[in-house]
Amino acid sequence: MNDRTKGEVWVFAEQEEGKLAEIPFELLGKARELADRLGVKVGAVLMGEGVEPLAAELVAGGADVVHLVDDPALKVFRSKAYRHALVELVKEEQPQILIFGATHMGRDLAPAVASALRCGLTADCTDLQIGDYTDRKTGETFANVLHQIRPAFGGNIIATIVNARHWPQMATVREGVMKPLDRNNRMVEFSNDRIKRHDSHLAGVEIPVEVVEIVRKVSKVNLKGARIIVAGGAGVGSKENFRLLHDLAAVLGGAVGGSRAAVDLGYCEHERQIGQTGVTVRPALMVSCGISGAVQHLAGMQDAAKIIAINTDRDAPIFKVAHYGIVGDLNVVIPKLIKAIKNKG
């Protein structure tokens, strides 16, 4: 392929034990937007053993074509095997953009692939856009390159990064920041001609790691799936006071989250952290208690459908994104809210 700008926009379709993760569908929604802007196809890279039935889900999620690499050596994720197979696939097909989820798997695989291909990689992006770029030193202009957008310097600035000279343009994207297409409303006819099968090129490749056993610890906290979240920050005051948030969440039927400050102070567990270094959520209702509204935290929750903020500081930045604000002591306000909700019920 001589013209690299004709290459597809690819999403690495992360799967485990024959089940797709949610992140590929989030990425396919954005890939569809990017590909339509560039006038090219969306490709999903599906790797594993016996995973061909998953291709139909990926097409429904936004892929035009599924690049399938099926090999027993890919049954479980091993970095060297996946890296080798994916690098050979990229060399063969020459996509112009390759996107991974910023998951444990994506953060392992993406930099290994980027290093092997000698191209750039931007980690933990919160947005991706297509635009032009002019090199300030040479004056050379590049049209329709990938603008990789992410917080930098602790979230104090938003950086836009481009990789105009060494392709594919690669990025990892944080979970929950991009919206998947509605698979139920996508009237797409699936057929086998949407699957492009590829050799893994793993014959004769030594893979030194053997997976003996997979042990999982299932988290009891599911903030990304919660419709209602009650979150607390440093202003809650203590781990004991955080009990109030659990009580409010219980009557609302929601989950409890926290800011990084609350986690660092030991008020709640790290798995409850919302924000740039935690999880990104989009609940129907977000109740923020004692959270000042630092940009790092806002990055993870500002897309909530409704935000109620409770804070003693009427000038707290959280009130700028909140739909409703209560200026007051949460130790007084929350018990009153709980009582009102119970009485109404």
Side-chain angles (χ1 to χ4, degrees):
M1 184 182 298
N2 296 323
D3 187 355
R4 64 182 184 178
T5 64
K6 299 299 182 183
E8 296 172 352
V9 176
W10 277 10
V11 167
F12 177 73
E14 183 174 328
Q15 63 83 26
E16 192 171 10
E17 295 185 345
K19 182 178 181 181
L20 287 163
E22 185 59 30
I23 185 67
F25 298 105
E26 297 173 10
L27 301 183
L28 283 169
K30 172 56 71 170
R32 181 77 271 160
E33 175 188 322
L34 300 176
D36 288 348
R37 173 75 185 272
L38 294 167
V40 299
K41 291 182 178 181
V42 174
V45 178
L46 179 60
M47 305 174 71
E49 181 188 27
V51 293
E52 184 171 327
L54 302 179
E57 294 182 51
L58 294 169
V59 170
D64 295 309
V65 60
V66 176
H67 294 278
L68 175 66
V69 184
D70 196 299
D71 191 299
L74 302 173
K75 182 175 182 179
V76 295
F77 177 74
R78 289 180 290 178
S79 184
K80 183 174 181 179
Y82 271 64
R83 181 200 67 198
H84 183 87
L86 185 50
V87 166
E88 293 302 314
L89 182 59
V90 169
K91 290 178 179 178
E92 178 183 335
E93 293 292 323
Q94 297 187 41
Q96 59 177 301
I97 295 172
L98 175 53
I99 313 170
F100 299 78
T103 61
H104 293 300
M105 188 183 296
R107 285 170 172 159
D108 183 342
L109 182 60
V113 172
S115 177
L117 293 171
R118 301 184 67 82
C119 64
L121 171 70
T122 303
D124 290 339
C125 293
T126 54
D127 195 12
L128 300 171
Q129 299 292 335
I130 299 297
D132 298 339
Y133 166 70
T134 300
D135 189 315
R136 293 182 180 179
K137 292 183 178 179
T138 66
E140 187 176 3
T141 297
F142 300 84
N144 293 329
V145 295
L146 183 66
H147 288 207
Q148 301 151 67
I149 301 164
R150 57 153 296 162
F153 293 100
N156 293 311
I157 65 169
I158 299 298
T160 299
I161 301 166
V162 297
N163 178 21
R165 300 181 186 276
H166 303 282
W167 286 18
Q169 302 163 96
M170 291 179 56
T172 64
V173 176
R174 295 193 55 199
E175 295 180 272
V177 300
M178 294 178 177
K179 297 179 180 179
L181 301 176
D182 190 334
R183 283 168 263 173
N184 295 324
N185 290 338
R186 270 182 57 82
M187 304 301 293
V188 179
E189 183 178 347
F190 176 77
S191 58
N192 279 331
D193 60 5
R194 287 184 176 270
I195 302 175
K196 192 170 184 179
R197 297 169 179 82
H198 302 268
D199 191 293
S200 68
H201 300 283
L202 288 172
V205 176
E206 182 182 355
I207 304 171
V209 176
E210 178 184 356
V211 178
V212 177
E213 183 183 7
I214 298 175
V215 179
R216 291 185 177 82
K217 180 182 178 182
V218 180
S219 175
K220 296 180 181 178
V221 180
N222 181 22
L223 290 176
K224 288 191 293 185
R227 294 191 69 257
I228 298 174
I229 297 176
V230 179
V236 173
S238 68
K239 186 174 183 178
E240 291 70 30
N241 285 354
F242 232 81
R243 188 68 251 168
L244 279 173
L245 276 64
H246 285 272
D247 294 341
L248 178 57
V251 297
L252 289 172
V256 174
S259 68
R260 177 172 180 171
V263 172
D264 289 345
L265 289 167
Y267 296 171
C268 65
E269 307 93 325
H270 181 268
E271 60 185 345
R272 297 186 185 276
Q273 184 174 322
I274 297 169
Q276 181 185 340
T277 52
V279 298
T280 300
V281 296
R282 287 194 182 93
L285 173 63
M286 181 85 176
V287 184
S288 296
C289 309
I291 294 176
S292 64
V295 65
Q296 295 93 330
H297 177 73
L298 297 182
M301 50 70 70
Q302 60 189 356
D303 288 333
K306 284 289 181 290
I307 301 172
I308 299 174
I310 304 171
N311 203 295
T312 55
D313 179 7
R314 65 176 60 251
D315 296 319
I318 191 70
F319 287 125
K320 295 180 180 179
V321 299
H323 299 91
Y324 303 98
I326 301 174
V327 178
D329 185 345
L330 61 89
N331 294 289
V332 176
V333 173
I334 292 180
K336 290 183 177 180
L337 285 176
I338 293 172
K339 183 178 180 180
I341 293 168
K342 287 182 175 179
N343 289 340
K344 186 176 180 179

